Amino acid sequence: MRKSHGDSENQTTWLILVGFGELKLLGFLPFTLFLAIYVVTVGGNILIVLAVASSRTLHTPMYLFLCHFSLLEIGYTSNIMPRLLQSFLEGEDIISLGSCLIQFYVFASLAAAECLMLAAMSYDRYLAICHPLHYPALMSTWSCSCLATSAWLSGSFFSAFTLAFTAPLSLCPGSRVIDHYFCDFAPVVGLFCGEVWIMWGAGISISSCLTLVPFTLIVTSYVFILRTVLRIPSDHGRQKAFSTCSSHLSVVGVFYGTLIVVYVAPTDHMPALLRKAFSILYTVLTPMVNPIIYSLKNQEVKLTLHRLWRQLI
């Protein structure tokens, strides 16, 4: 019996995210593990935000950037983790095409904003160490707010620009199964037929620009920072200068290291489960590690968190 046009249209708007169906044999263990990671991630980043908000000594550009970065991490992981947790309980996750595109848009926006925010944070450290006398004028609270807002808006704009290329495309006939746990760029592009190469080209060009340009700026900033620090005569002065950069440099290493593993390493011929495991690195583990790095390596953040804890008890 021939299906009506309405039925056909309805069928094409629903997708199946396979997720980690291979882990069903482990029962509730994966759900419990990822739930714990999600709680630690959101809780850790909220603590960073509360620490910055509650302490006047932390109302400086360095910590305001950190506050924005923590908010990005909360949104970044919350865009993916709830559906992933649901899939562990129910198996395959059924998602509408609209929800899938929204998830991709939010993911791409926040990932791009994180790259730009890390570049802004490195520029802040460059000014603080290489131009300390001019730092208050060059990096005021207003300048910090403008840079942070620009990172948020730029990520949203470029992601919307990439997603706009799906408008003239049509969905491919056939299976609606996506062998992934969230709507990443490649699965989204694979849903469409037509002149898909335009979207591929635009997506790769924009993502390369938003990844490589900030990374180049970060590396350049730290080359100048290292040169300046090595010229400091006292060991204490060098150690103090390095300590202000170590947390940010650690986060940059973890963030870009995981991106390189996923997007530069040859994962095309890997088993789907292994490819998804690599994606877990930057969507789940990195947002959890970042607040731990900042709280462990930064003495001022640790003292503020300790003071907050004493007030609570």
Side-chain angles (χ1 to χ4, degrees), residues 39-270:
V39 171
V40 170
T41 301
V42 174
N45 282 289
I46 288 176
L47 284 176
I48 296 291
V49 174
L50 290 176
V52 174
S54 64
S55 176
R56 290 186 177 181
T57 60
L58 299 183
H59 289 179
T60 61
M62 174 181 172
Y63 294 105
L64 292 177
F65 279 127
L66 176 58
C67 187
H68 280 280
F69 190 76
S70 292
L71 291 174
L72 282 170
E73 295 282 51
I74 292 171
Y76 186 73
T77 191
S78 296
N79 179 49
I80 294 173
M81 285 293 285
R83 279 195 171 274
L84 179 57
L85 291 171
Q86 182 182 356
S87 70
F88 282 127
L89 294 177
E90 301 178 0
E92 296 175 338
D93 181 20
I94 299 176
I95 182 172
S96 68
L97 176 62
S99 297
C100 184
L101 295 178
I102 290 173
Q103 186 184 56
F104 163 70
Y105 170 73
V106 173
F107 162 74
S109 298
L110 297 180
E114 282 198 10
C115 291
L116 296 172
M117 196 71 70
L118 286 172
M121 293 166 77
S122 69
Y123 177 64
D124 171 70
R125 291 300 84 208
Y126 161 75
L127 292 179
I129 294 175
C130 299
H131 303 282
L133 297 179
H134 301 287
Y135 177 74
L138 294 174
M139 185 56 72
S140 62
T141 304
W142 170 252
S143 301
C144 170
S145 299
C146 288
L147 287 173
T149 303
S150 297
W152 283 89
L153 294 179
S154 297
S156 300
F157 171 77
F158 285 111
S159 299
F161 181 75
T162 303
L163 196 59
F165 283 99
T166 63
L169 302 177
S170 58
L171 285 172
C172 293
S175 176
R176 294 286 176 265
V177 177
I178 298 177
D179 196 0
H180 211 335
Y181 61 90
F182 76 102
C183 294
D184 201 355
F185 177 70
V188 168
V189 176
L191 295 172
F192 294 93
C193 289
E195 296 184 342
V196 181
W197 62 271
I198 298 177
M199 187 177 178
W200 268 113
I204 292 174
S205 300
I206 292 173
S207 61
S208 298
C209 181
L210 292 175
T211 303
L212 296 178
V213 172
F215 183 68
T216 302
L217 292 174
I218 291 169
V219 172
T220 303
S221 296
Y222 275 100
V223 168
F224 285 107
I225 288 171
L226 181 61
R227 188 178 67 175
T228 301
V229 169
L230 292 177
R231 292 176 178 175
I232 298 176
S234 67
D235 292 337
H236 176 72
R238 285 196 298 269
Q239 184 178 2
K240 184 177 180 181
F242 272 125
S243 67
T244 64
C245 301
S246 60
S247 299
H248 177 253
L249 198 56
S250 300
V251 170
V252 169
V254 171
F255 183 75
Y256 277 97
T258 53
L259 285 182
I260 289 171
V261 167
V262 174
Y263 291 109
V264 178
T267 59
D268 292 341
H269 302 292
M270 286 184 178

